[in-house]
Amino acid sequence: MTTQTTQLRAALALTELVTHPHLRALSWTVSPEGVLSGYAITDSGTGSVVDIAADLMGTPGFVERKAFRADSGELRGVAELTTTWREVLVDVRASYPLALPEPEPVGDSSWPAVQLAAELRDEPQVQSVTVEHQTGLSVVVVPETLADWERWRTRLGGLTETVRGDTATVSGESECGVDVRLTGVGAGRLASAVALSGGVR
C-alpha cells in the first residue's frame, strides 16, 4: 500500500470520526505514515470519549486504563484504544483527573474508621478515602499490578469481588473491625491480562 493511499484512507476515516457529535472533544492528527491519532485532556470524567470511539469502531472492551502522575504531581488516568478501523491504524487517548478533593471530616479521631482512613490516605496507590460512619470506610486504589491488588484485598479484608469492566470492587472487614468497601481502578484489566497470558491470580 502506497503512502498516498494510506494517507487518503486516514483522511476519509477522520472525516467520519470528526462528524460524530460525541467525539468532538478529541483533537485529531494524521501522521506521515497514515496513523490516525485522537487525544483529549479533560478536567473531569473517566475518559468515556474513548469508550464511545471504541463502540463506534466495533471494538468495545478494548479500552485500557492506566494511572500516572503528571509533572505537577497530580494523579491522572488515561483511557487508551489502539485498533484498526477502515483499514487505518487508529490510536485514541483521553487523560482525566483521578485525585479527588478531600472529603469533609466525618466523625472524630476515636472512630476506628477515622483512624484507618488516616493511615491509608498517604499511601501512594490510594486515590480517595471516605469515612462512611464510625466503622465504615470506602477506599479507592489504583494498583499497578495484580499482586498489588491482591495485597490490598488481603490488607483490608476484601472477600467477595465484583468486576465491571476495568474496575473491581470488594467488601470485607479489616483487622481493626472496620467494614471496608474497596474499589480497584484498573484491577479488572490486570486480572484479564493475567488470565489471557495463562497466569494465575
Side-chain angles (χ1 to χ4, degrees):
M1 185 184 299
T2 66
T3 301
Q4 184 176 5
T5 301
T6 302
Q7 287 277 348
L8 177 59
R9 286 180 175 172
L12 291 173
L14 176 60
T15 299
E16 187 171 346
L17 291 172
V18 296
T19 59
H20 194 286
H22 297 300
L23 298 182
R24 290 174 181 166
L26 292 166
S27 299
W28 295 94
T29 60
V30 179
S31 74
E33 297 77 20
V35 178
L36 182 55
S37 300
Y39 195 80
I41 300 176
T42 65
D43 295 325
S44 61
T46 58
S48 59
V49 66
V50 181
D51 297 296
I52 295 172
D55 288 340
L56 176 65
M57 297 180 205
T59 53
F62 281 72
V63 178
E64 293 189 358
R65 283 178 166 79
K66 302 176 183 176
F68 69 97
R69 286 199 180 274
D71 293 340
S72 64
E74 179 187 17
L75 181 63
R76 294 187 64 84
V78 59
E80 303 176 340
L81 170 69
T82 300
T83 187
T84 299
W85 184 68
R86 302 288 193 263
E87 298 185 75
V88 175
L89 182 61
V90 183
D91 181 74
V92 187
R93 304 184 183 204
S95 169
Y96 51 91
L98 281 179
L100 301 178
E102 287 293 329
E104 292 296 322
V106 176
D108 59 53
S109 59
S110 67
W111 285 15
V114 171
Q115 295 172 4
L116 182 57
E119 176 186 331
L120 295 174
R121 282 199 174 101
D122 291 333
E123 296 274 353
Q125 294 183 356
V126 172
Q127 176 183 335
S128 67
V129 181
T130 304
V131 176
E132 304 290 354
H133 50 82
Q134 187 171 352
T135 58
L137 195 66
S138 293
V139 182
V140 179
V141 298
V142 187
E144 296 181 1
T145 66
L146 188 59
D148 288 338
W149 174 238
E150 296 295 353
R151 281 193 291 271
W152 280 111
R153 290 187 60 184
T154 301
R155 178 178 177 182
L156 298 179
L159 298 175
T160 304
E161 182 178 44
T162 301
V163 178
R164 292 186 177 180
D166 289 340
T167 301
T169 303
V170 297
S171 298
E173 183 177 330
S174 69
E175 291 183 356
C176 58
V178 175
D179 294 325
V180 179
R181 177 181 172 83
L182 174 66
T183 300
V185 177
R189 171 180 54 78
L190 293 172
S192 296
V194 170
L196 288 172
S197 66
V200 293
R201 293 174 63 99

